[in-house]
C-alpha cells in the first residue's frame, strides 16, 4: 500500500481517549494537532453521562474546531468505563437512555462530519441470560444504525480484551452480531477490527484479515504485549495493515494505544 506512510502522524487517526490523557478532554484535540495529527477519535467524552447538556456538546465540538482537527470516530455512551463498564448495548434496561444517546451521537456526527460510531457491546450480567442480553443488543444496535443512517454513518462492533465478561472476543464474534443486525434490515453496521484486542484474545488476526478485511468498517492498532505504541511489542502491525488494504479495506488506521505523552510519538518519523 504505497499511499500509506507508516512513519507520519498525518497518516493516522489519534485516539484521544487512550492518548494525551494527562490533559483535560477539551485540551486534547489541540495537543493532537500540536503533535502532528489532523484526525482524531474519542470514546464517549462526557464522563459516562448518556445525555450531556447542549453546552457540554458545544464545548466539545468547539475544541475540535479551534484545533482544526477532524473527528473521525466517536463511541456511543458506554456506561462508566472508569468503574469497569464496557458498553451498554446489551444491558437490559438501557434502551431508553441508549436511544437518547444515539440521537446526540448523530447530531455530533452531523455537526462534525464524523461517520464512524463505535457501539461497545457490554459485559454479561448476572440477572439476565445471554439470550436476553443479545436480544437487547440487537434492539439497541438497530436504534443506533437508524439514528446515524441519515448522515451516512456506520455503527461499529468490536471484539474487546481485558474483560472476561465481554462476550465478543474475536472478529468472528463481532461479525456474527453485525450479520444479525443486517438480517433485521439495517445495513450500516460493520466490524471494528482492533488488532490489539484480537491478538490478546488469541484470535488468528491474519486469518481474520484474509476472510474479512474488505468488510472492516474501521481498524485500530496497539502493540502487544503492553498496549503500547507500534514497535514496543511483537505484533506484525505493518504487515497486517498492508494486507488489509491489499484485500480491499478502504478505511483509515487509528492509534488506540496507551503511553505517556512524553514518549507516545517518538516512534513516528523512523
Amino acid at each position: 500500500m504505497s499511499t500509506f506512510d507508516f512513519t507520519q502522524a498525518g497518516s493516522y487517526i489519534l485516539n484521544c481517549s487512550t492518548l494525551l490523557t494527562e490533559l483535560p478532554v477539551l485540551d486534547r484535540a489541540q495537543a493532537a494537532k500540536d503533535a502532528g495529527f489532523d484526525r482524531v477519535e474519542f470514546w464517549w467524552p462526557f464522563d459516562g453521562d448518556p445525555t450531556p447538556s447542549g453546552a457540554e456538546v458545544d464545548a466539545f465540538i468547539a475544541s475540535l474546531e479551534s484545533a482544526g482537527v477532524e473527528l473521525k470516530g466517536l463511541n456511543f455512551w458506554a456506561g462508566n468505563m472508569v468503574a469497569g463498564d464496557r458498553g451498554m448495548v446489551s444491558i437490559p434496561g438501557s434502551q431508553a437512555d441508549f436511544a437518547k444517546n444515539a440521537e446526540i451521537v448523530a447530531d455530533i456526527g452531523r455537526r462534525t462530519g464524523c461517520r464512524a460510531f463505535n457501539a461497545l457491546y457490554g459485559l454479561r450480567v448476572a440477572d439476565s441470560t445471554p439470550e436476553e442480553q443479545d436480544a437487547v443488543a440487537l434492539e439497541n444496535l438497530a436504534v443506533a444504525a437508524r439514528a446515524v443512517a441519515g448522515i451516512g454513518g456506520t455503527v461499529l462492533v468490536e471484539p474487546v480484551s481485558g474483560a472476561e465478561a465481554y462476550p465478543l472476543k474475536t472478529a468472528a464474534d463481532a461479525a456474527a452480531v453485525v450479520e444479525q443486525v443486517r438480517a433485521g434490515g439495517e445495513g450500516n453496521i460493520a466490524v471494528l477490527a482492533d488488532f490489539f484486542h484480537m491478538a490478546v484474545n488469541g484470535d488468528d488476526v491474519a486469518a481474520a484479515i484474509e476472510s474479512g478485511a474488505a468488510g472492516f468498517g474501521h481498524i485500530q492498532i496497539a502493540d502487544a504485549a503492553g498496549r503500547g505504541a507500534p514497535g514496543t511489542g511483537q505484533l506484525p502491525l505493518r504487515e497486517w495493515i498492508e494486507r488489509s488494504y491489499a484485500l480491499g479495506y478502504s478505511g483509515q488506521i487509528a492509534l488506540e494505544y496507551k503511553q505517556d505523552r512524553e514518549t507516545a510519538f517518538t516512534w513516528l518519523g523512523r
Side-chain angles (χ1 to χ4, degrees):
M1 189 204 122
S2 59
T3 60
F4 192 92
D5 189 336
F6 287 86
T7 68
Q8 296 301 309
S11 296
Y12 298 94
I13 299 168
L14 184 69
N15 189 297
C16 293
S17 294
T18 60
L19 289 156
L20 306 176
T21 56
E22 299 91 339
L23 301 172
V25 168
L26 296 183
D27 292 343
R28 295 178 196 171
Q30 185 61 59
K33 183 71 171 182
D34 292 344
F37 297 90
D38 298 316
R39 298 171 294 177
V40 298
E41 64 181 21
F42 282 80
W43 297 351
W44 186 240
F46 301 106
D47 291 330
D49 183 355
T51 54
S53 69
E56 290 174 302
V57 172
D58 289 346
F60 173 66
I61 294 174
S63 75
L64 303 170
E65 293 174 343
S66 175
V69 297
E70 295 182 81
L71 183 66
K72 304 301 289 187
L74 180 68
N75 283 20
F76 290 90
W77 168 58
N80 187 337
M81 295 280 283
V82 174
D85 289 339
R86 289 297 180 269
M88 299 303 292
V89 164
S90 66
I91 306 302
S94 67
Q95 294 94 318
D97 281 338
F98 192 86
K100 293 174 184 175
N101 176 255
E103 292 301 322
I104 296 172
V105 167
D107 184 59
I108 294 173
R110 178 186 60 79
R111 294 172 62 184
T112 62
C114 183
R115 297 295 181 264
F117 306 99
N118 186 18
L120 287 175
Y121 200 79
L123 305 177
R124 291 304 193 203
V125 296
D127 55 355
S128 294
T129 68
E131 293 77 15
E132 289 168 340
Q133 285 196 253
D134 292 340
V136 170
L138 293 180
E139 179 182 342
N140 279 334
L141 289 169
V143 166
R146 288 193 292 269
V148 302
I151 61 168
T154 298
V155 174
L156 302 169
V157 179
E158 72 168 322
V160 167
S161 65
E164 184 58 33
Y166 191 92
L168 309 184
K169 299 289 198 298
T170 67
D173 293 337
V177 173
V178 167
E179 289 308 311
Q180 286 182 291
V181 176
R182 288 178 177 170
E186 312 302 334
N188 58 321
I189 184 166
V191 172
L192 190 165
D194 185 308
F195 292 162
F196 167 80
H197 287 310
M198 292 160 63
V200 168
N201 283 339
D203 200 1
D204 186 335
V205 180
I209 290 168
E210 291 297 318
S211 63
F216 290 164
H218 193 48
I219 291 175
Q220 292 174 332
I221 62 170
D223 216 334
R227 201 175 182 179
T232 60
Q234 304 299 319
L235 299 183
L237 294 170
R238 181 171 186 147
E239 175 184 326
W240 287 343
I241 290 168
E242 288 177 334
R243 188 60 179 156
S244 295
Y245 279 107
L247 290 170
Y249 176 65
S250 58
Q252 297 165 329
I253 307 298
L255 303 174
E256 201 195 35
Y257 60 88
K258 295 183 177 182
Q259 200 157 312
D260 66 272
R261 187 182 176 194
E262 293 303 314
T263 65
F265 310 122
T266 55
W267 63 280
L268 290 165
R270 294 176 184 170

